[in-house]
Amino acid sequence: MDKRKKTSDENTASVKKKRLVITLEQKCDVIERHERGHSNSKIGRDVGMPESTVRNIIKHAGEIKKKGKVASTFCGLQTTTRNRSVTMIEMERLLAVWIDDCNKKCIPLSRAAIQTKASSLFKAVKENGNEVDSEETFSASGGWFDRFKNRVHLHHVKITGEIANADENMAANYPDVLKKIIGEGGYTDQPIFNVGGTGLFWKKIPFRTYIFKKEKTQPGFKVSNDHLTIFEQSECENSNSKIEQNVGVPESTVQNIIKHTSEIQEKDNVAPAFCGLQTTTRNRNITVEMERPLAVWIKDCNDKNIPHSKTTIQTNVPSLFKVENENGDEVDSEEIFTANQDDFDPFKNQDHLHVVKITEKAVTTDENMAIKFPDVLMKIIKEGGYTDQQIFNVDETGLFWKRMPSRTYVSKKENTQPGFKVSRDRLTLLLGGNAEGDFKLKPMLVYWSHNPHALRGYNQHSLPVLWRSNKKAWVTKAIFEDWFSSYFSPAVEKYCKDSNIAFKALLILDNAPGHPTTLGSLCENIKVIFLPPNTTSLLQPMNQGTIATFKAYYLRKIFEQAVAKTTGDDAMSLADFWENYNIRNAIENIHYAWQQITTHNMREAWKCILPHCTSSNFEGFSSQKQAIIEEIINIGRKLGFDELENDDILELLESHSEELTADDFLNLDRQRVFEDVDNDSEEADDIHMKEFTLKEFEDIFQALEVVKQKIMDADPDVDRRMQIHQDVDKALCTYQRMYEDLKKEKTIQSTLLKYFKQE
């Protein structure tokens, strides 16, 4: 046992000692006292410094006095936290004088101009300086600029491009012109008026106040940036009333501004590009003009269901830029543009491309082939004598099974934590059915782990999905052939037999790499045809809205479960619910979401290649998906996700088509180590398979009897409660038989054991 005494200062003892910062003025004071003949110990007592520090200051008195003479012109330097050369100090003094002179002459400045001037001044000072700093180098970097700006209080200096195009000659001549106009019109000073426009951040206070600092550290919208955002919010399809609430402008004013959008935007194109910036960090010029037709092109592609990838967008950008550059003025004629990642990300954010479907799988679509294919398909159907019941289609889709909208704090918390991101854990689903819509195939799920912890002890053959595993969670040719032979062919044969129709089928597939071209030879009763190349986005039935609606149902189910688990007497926190959400829960929710896809959903998806499948009773995939999204948002409000909006849900639903990067696969490999998955342990898993016990059966029956009794006591409708009672007993008959068989088996085993003991 530790016998050391614990003092009251035990907690403060571990606190790191604060470093003593000595100002230049204090150092000069120490040197002055020493020159007056005071001893080191007396100086230390008088100024409150250790004697060793006093000796060190006196030792370097010459250097300190030399720097003190030069630095006296900078009132902003209060502490010396780093050794700065005489050349640097002199350069910054001259630079500050130059900046002040430029502002007095109304000469516009930019950050780049200041950095360029700093480099030239440093070179001049160095050439005329002493030999001590002759080897010193200087690069006017962004870090130096920020420190320099703070040292000389540059945030009080106007650095702007607002008057970059000012014509001083015209300004000098204008008073005479105005005087002539006044004389001709006989105006006095009273009827002469002037107005000017200015921006106002109506809820912004000095940045040194703690209120400002507190807002800067908080995530989300900054009210200090609420500056005429009506156009931006209108382009985001916000209603006028919502814009009124966000901006604080009457709805009638909002309507009037939107009414005159074209006129205002035309004037805005002529207005100076930099009217409120304190520092000019980037001049976008032709890039702005180029991005407008690019955004229109992307919107047109989506309206026509033409897929496009990041690569195709970046490929079209240089050609648009070249056209704008040729039609522009000579000022920007030498500007060059490379459509790199740094340019693409800001463009994606400012044009709200997160709600646009951009997929890396996208290729150039062949609209001519897409138009011709329905006639070709109809000819094949007539020759084979297929009915809608015998025509099938399947398609793969990715699903990030544990991903929440980016605006939720669950997602934000994960993004701030190091290590493996579960939101990047993706599985692949194979979904499909027939054109009649009355037969949905059992989903096939491909996961990177053969036997994850959440499924240990469960019979994978009893899952509501066909469980397959692949290192990258992809549908390979081997997996697809196995699915075709072991499930699809027998399932179609049984369906045809139950429907009293001939066992023959037509399977329509796209040209995905995982679809073997030799499938037709595996079963003579099933004919396999492939969609024309580059027409998948236009013709693939399952990709016309069915899969997107399925994913919306899946997300809604997660939100419903979260509300159920975080409310009530045994409520848990949302963080605990999300931590406990595993792949087994995901499988159950996938089954639920697939069950919500109706016959109308399945049949309507075929109208792109079978026009007669259109149903007048179906409201449309867009309306159905929007209704589900609104339900998700309302449920999210109950979970505290007040910032959740329509675009956030759309962004999440579209994100499932993202391609995993090499880093993602590397993280998955690392995760496999933690999962400790043994892909060769199938036999061991079967041995340790989870089974029902007599005690579990008895507990279930007892709990249900309590529930039935409560229903009997509470429901005044005798017929209804008796019907419920019968329905529950009917639903439990399977478990009742299992219980009787297990009880009989246990009785026989007990009797045999007793017999052997007697022997």
Side-chain angles (χ1 to χ4, degrees), residues 567-630:
T567 56
D569 297 334
D570 300 328
M572 63 171 62
S573 66
L574 182 60
D576 291 338
F577 163 78
W578 197 237
E579 183 179 355
N580 294 327
Y581 186 83
N582 55 39
I583 190 67
R584 188 178 77 251
N585 304 129
I587 292 172
E588 294 170 355
N589 290 342
I590 288 170
H591 173 68
Y592 165 83
W594 188 235
Q595 291 298 110
Q596 300 306 303
I597 301 299
T598 64
T599 300
H600 289 303
N601 286 121
M602 298 295 295
R603 185 164 177 78
E604 188 74 12
W606 288 83
K607 68 179 182 180
C608 53
I609 55 177
L610 298 176
H612 67 272
C613 290
T614 303
S615 174
S616 58
N617 298 327
F618 186 65
E619 58 183 358
F621 286 108
S622 299
S623 300
Q624 185 179 11
K625 186 171 73 171
Q626 184 58 38
I628 302 171
I629 290 175
E630 291 176 359

Side-chain angles (χ1 to χ4, degrees), residues 648-689:
D648 302 314
I649 307 301
L650 286 174
E651 179 185 12
L652 174 59
L653 296 179
E654 296 294 346
S655 70
H656 294 292
S657 60
E658 293 177 6
E659 293 292 336
L660 292 178
T661 64
D663 291 338
D664 294 328
F665 287 122
L666 179 61
N667 288 328
L668 287 176
D669 288 335
R670 294 171 179 170
Q671 182 67 8
R672 292 186 184 100
V673 176
F674 293 104
E675 285 282 347
D676 191 25
V677 178
D678 185 2
N679 290 334
D680 298 327
S681 60
E682 297 184 37
E683 296 181 1
D685 292 337
D686 293 336
I687 295 174
H688 299 90
M689 193 64 63

Side-chain angles (χ1 to χ4, degrees), residues 501-597:
I501 58 178
F503 172 38
K504 61 179 180 179
L506 179 66
L507 176 61
I508 303 174
L509 301 173
D510 57 31
N511 293 275
H515 297 164
T517 58
T518 58
L519 286 175
S521 61
L522 300 179
C523 181
E524 59 182 9
N525 299 91
I526 300 177
K527 181 179 180 63
V528 181
I529 63 172
F530 293 87
L531 297 173
N534 304 335
T535 60
T536 299
S537 61
L538 301 176
L539 300 180
Q540 173 65 272
M542 289 298 105
N543 201 29
Q544 302 306 311
T546 302
I547 290 178
T549 305
F550 157 79
K551 292 176 180 177
Y553 278 125
Y554 175 81
L555 182 60
R556 189 188 70 175
K557 184 62 176 178
I558 293 178
F559 272 57
E560 291 175 348
Q561 289 177 337
V563 171
K565 291 291 185 180
T566 56
T567 56
D569 297 334
D570 300 328
M572 63 171 62
S573 66
L574 182 60
D576 291 338
F577 163 78
W578 197 237
E579 183 179 355
N580 294 327
Y581 186 83
N582 55 39
I583 190 67
R584 188 178 77 251
N585 304 129
I587 292 172
E588 294 170 355
N589 290 342
I590 288 170
H591 173 68
Y592 165 83
W594 188 235
Q595 291 298 110
Q596 300 306 303
I597 301 299

Side-chain angles (χ1 to χ4, degrees), residues 25 38 270 284 358 377 415-416 485 569 585 682 701 704:
E25 183 181 359
H38 294 182
V270 183
R284 299 184 68 230
I358 301 178
L377 176 62
N415 289 333
T416 58
S485 301
D569 297 334
N585 304 129
E682 297 184 37
F701 295 146
L704 287 173

